[in-house]
Short mmCIF file of all heavy atoms in Angstrom, two decimals:
data_model
loop_
_atom_site.label_atom_id
_atom_site.label_comp_id
_atom_site.label_asym_id
_atom_site.label_seq_id
_atom_site.Cartn_x
_atom_site.Cartn_y
_atom_site.Cartn_z
N VAL A 29 40.21 -63.49 -51.00
CA VAL A 29 39.74 -64.25 -49.83
C VAL A 29 39.58 -63.36 -48.65
O VAL A 29 38.57 -63.43 -47.91
CB VAL A 29 40.73 -65.41 -49.52
CG1 VAL A 29 40.37 -66.05 -48.19
CG2 VAL A 29 40.69 -66.43 -50.63
N ARG A 49 13.87 -51.13 -35.32
CA ARG A 49 12.50 -50.57 -35.53
C ARG A 49 11.45 -51.46 -34.90
O ARG A 49 10.29 -51.08 -34.82
CB ARG A 49 12.22 -50.39 -37.01
CG ARG A 49 13.18 -49.39 -37.66
CD ARG A 49 12.73 -49.00 -39.03
NE ARG A 49 13.68 -48.04 -39.60
CZ ARG A 49 13.63 -46.74 -39.38
NH1 ARG A 49 12.67 -46.23 -38.60
NH2 ARG A 49 14.51 -45.92 -39.94
N VAL A 57 9.22 -38.35 -18.09
CA VAL A 57 10.11 -37.40 -17.41
C VAL A 57 9.61 -37.21 -15.95
O VAL A 57 8.45 -36.94 -15.72
CB VAL A 57 10.09 -36.01 -18.12
CG1 VAL A 57 10.98 -35.07 -17.44
CG2 VAL A 57 10.47 -36.22 -19.59
N THR A 73 11.53 -46.49 -21.34
CA THR A 73 11.14 -47.93 -21.23
C THR A 73 11.24 -48.48 -22.68
O THR A 73 10.56 -48.03 -23.57
CB THR A 73 9.73 -48.09 -20.69
OG1 THR A 73 9.69 -47.48 -19.40
CG2 THR A 73 9.39 -49.54 -20.57
N GLY A 77 10.73 -56.02 -29.29
CA GLY A 77 9.68 -56.73 -30.03
C GLY A 77 10.22 -57.62 -31.14
O GLY A 77 9.43 -58.23 -31.89
N PRO A 92 20.55 -29.51 -26.04
CA PRO A 92 21.67 -29.25 -25.17
C PRO A 92 21.34 -28.56 -23.85
O PRO A 92 21.90 -28.84 -22.81
CB PRO A 92 22.62 -28.36 -26.04
CG PRO A 92 22.29 -28.75 -27.43
CD PRO A 92 20.80 -29.03 -27.44
N ASN A 99 23.90 -40.15 -21.56
CA ASN A 99 22.66 -40.59 -22.20
C ASN A 99 22.84 -41.77 -23.17
O ASN A 99 21.98 -42.06 -23.94
CB ASN A 99 21.98 -39.45 -22.94
CG ASN A 99 22.88 -38.89 -24.09
OD1 ASN A 99 24.03 -39.23 -24.18
ND2 ASN A 99 22.27 -38.01 -24.89
N HIS A 101 23.37 -45.76 -23.30
CA HIS A 101 23.17 -46.92 -22.43
C HIS A 101 23.49 -48.21 -23.20
O HIS A 101 22.86 -48.46 -24.23
CB HIS A 101 21.76 -46.92 -21.93
CG HIS A 101 21.33 -45.64 -21.29
ND1 HIS A 101 21.67 -45.32 -19.98
CD2 HIS A 101 20.64 -44.59 -21.78
CE1 HIS A 101 21.18 -44.11 -19.71
NE2 HIS A 101 20.50 -43.65 -20.78
N ALA A 170 8.83 -10.92 7.95
CA ALA A 170 8.92 -10.42 9.34
C ALA A 170 8.64 -8.94 9.41
O ALA A 170 7.92 -8.45 10.32
CB ALA A 170 10.33 -10.72 9.86
N LEU A 175 4.44 -4.40 10.26
CA LEU A 175 3.51 -3.41 9.72
C LEU A 175 2.09 -3.77 10.02
O LEU A 175 1.24 -2.89 10.32
CB LEU A 175 3.70 -3.31 8.19
CG LEU A 175 5.01 -2.72 7.69
CD1 LEU A 175 5.03 -2.71 6.17
CD2 LEU A 175 5.23 -1.31 8.20
N THR A 188 -4.13 3.67 6.17
CA THR A 188 -5.30 3.53 5.37
C THR A 188 -6.43 2.71 6.08
O THR A 188 -7.55 2.70 5.55
CB THR A 188 -4.99 2.82 4.06
OG1 THR A 188 -4.35 1.58 4.33
CG2 THR A 188 -4.02 3.68 3.22
N TRP A 207 -9.92 13.52 19.01
CA TRP A 207 -10.38 14.50 19.98
C TRP A 207 -11.68 14.05 20.70
O TRP A 207 -11.91 14.34 21.86
CB TRP A 207 -10.57 15.87 19.30
CG TRP A 207 -9.25 16.42 18.85
CD1 TRP A 207 -8.84 16.52 17.54
CD2 TRP A 207 -8.25 16.97 19.63
NE1 TRP A 207 -7.60 17.05 17.46
CE2 TRP A 207 -7.16 17.36 18.74
CE3 TRP A 207 -8.07 17.15 21.00
CZ2 TRP A 207 -5.97 17.94 19.22
CZ3 TRP A 207 -6.89 17.75 21.46
CH2 TRP A 207 -5.86 18.10 20.58
N VAL A 218 -4.81 8.71 20.88
CA VAL A 218 -4.44 8.76 19.44
C VAL A 218 -4.96 7.54 18.74
O VAL A 218 -5.18 6.48 19.36
CB VAL A 218 -2.89 8.83 19.25
CG1 VAL A 218 -2.37 10.18 19.83
CG2 VAL A 218 -2.16 7.66 19.86
N ARG A 228 -4.82 -3.98 -4.56
CA ARG A 228 -4.52 -4.62 -5.82
C ARG A 228 -3.09 -4.31 -6.25
O ARG A 228 -2.67 -3.16 -6.15
CB ARG A 228 -5.50 -4.10 -6.92
CG ARG A 228 -6.94 -4.40 -6.72
CD ARG A 228 -7.22 -5.89 -6.76
NE ARG A 228 -6.89 -6.49 -8.06
CZ ARG A 228 -7.75 -6.53 -9.06
NH1 ARG A 228 -8.98 -6.03 -8.93
NH2 ARG A 228 -7.41 -7.10 -10.22
N ARG A 248 17.87 -9.96 -19.15
CA ARG A 248 17.27 -9.02 -18.22
C ARG A 248 15.90 -9.42 -17.78
O ARG A 248 15.48 -9.23 -16.68
CB ARG A 248 17.20 -7.64 -18.92
CG ARG A 248 16.63 -6.54 -18.11
CD ARG A 248 16.66 -5.22 -18.91
NE ARG A 248 18.05 -4.69 -18.98
CZ ARG A 248 18.43 -3.80 -19.84
NH1 ARG A 248 17.60 -3.33 -20.77
NH2 ARG A 248 19.68 -3.33 -19.81
N ASP A 271 -2.03 -9.55 -9.70
CA ASP A 271 -2.18 -9.96 -11.12
C ASP A 271 -0.83 -9.75 -11.78
O ASP A 271 -0.12 -8.76 -11.50
CB ASP A 271 -3.23 -9.12 -11.82
CG ASP A 271 -4.62 -9.28 -11.21
OD1 ASP A 271 -4.92 -10.41 -10.88
OD2 ASP A 271 -5.31 -8.24 -11.04
N LEU A 306 11.70 -9.75 -30.12
CA LEU A 306 12.52 -8.70 -30.78
C LEU A 306 11.59 -7.70 -31.45
O LEU A 306 11.66 -7.53 -32.67
CB LEU A 306 13.51 -9.33 -31.73
CG LEU A 306 14.50 -10.29 -31.07
CD1 LEU A 306 15.52 -10.81 -32.10
CD2 LEU A 306 15.24 -9.61 -29.91
N GLY A 313 -0.82 0.29 -25.62
CA GLY A 313 -1.54 -0.98 -25.48
C GLY A 313 -1.34 -1.63 -24.12
O GLY A 313 -2.26 -2.19 -23.55
N LEU A 327 -1.32 -0.68 -7.07
CA LEU A 327 0.12 -0.58 -7.30
C LEU A 327 0.45 -1.26 -8.59
O LEU A 327 0.27 -2.44 -8.76
CB LEU A 327 0.89 -1.19 -6.13
CG LEU A 327 2.41 -1.33 -6.35
CD1 LEU A 327 3.06 0.06 -6.47
CD2 LEU A 327 3.06 -2.11 -5.20
N GLU A 386 30.26 6.30 -17.12
CA GLU A 386 29.74 7.40 -16.28
C GLU A 386 28.63 8.15 -17.01
O GLU A 386 27.63 8.50 -16.39
CB GLU A 386 30.87 8.35 -15.93
CG GLU A 386 30.51 9.34 -14.81
CD GLU A 386 30.31 8.66 -13.46
OE1 GLU A 386 31.05 7.70 -13.17
OE2 GLU A 386 29.40 9.10 -12.72
N VAL A 388 26.61 6.96 -19.32
CA VAL A 388 25.43 6.09 -19.32
C VAL A 388 24.70 6.18 -17.99
O VAL A 388 23.46 6.29 -17.92
CB VAL A 388 25.80 4.64 -19.65
CG1 VAL A 388 24.58 3.72 -19.43
CG2 VAL A 388 26.26 4.51 -21.09
#
Side-chain angles (χ1 to χ4, degrees):
V29 170
R49 298 191 180 277
V57 181
T73 302
N99 62 350
H101 307 280
L175 292 178
T188 57
W207 295 106
V218 296
R228 298 295 298 273
R248 180 178 286 162
D271 300 319
L306 300 183
L327 170 63
E386 192 68 37
V388 170

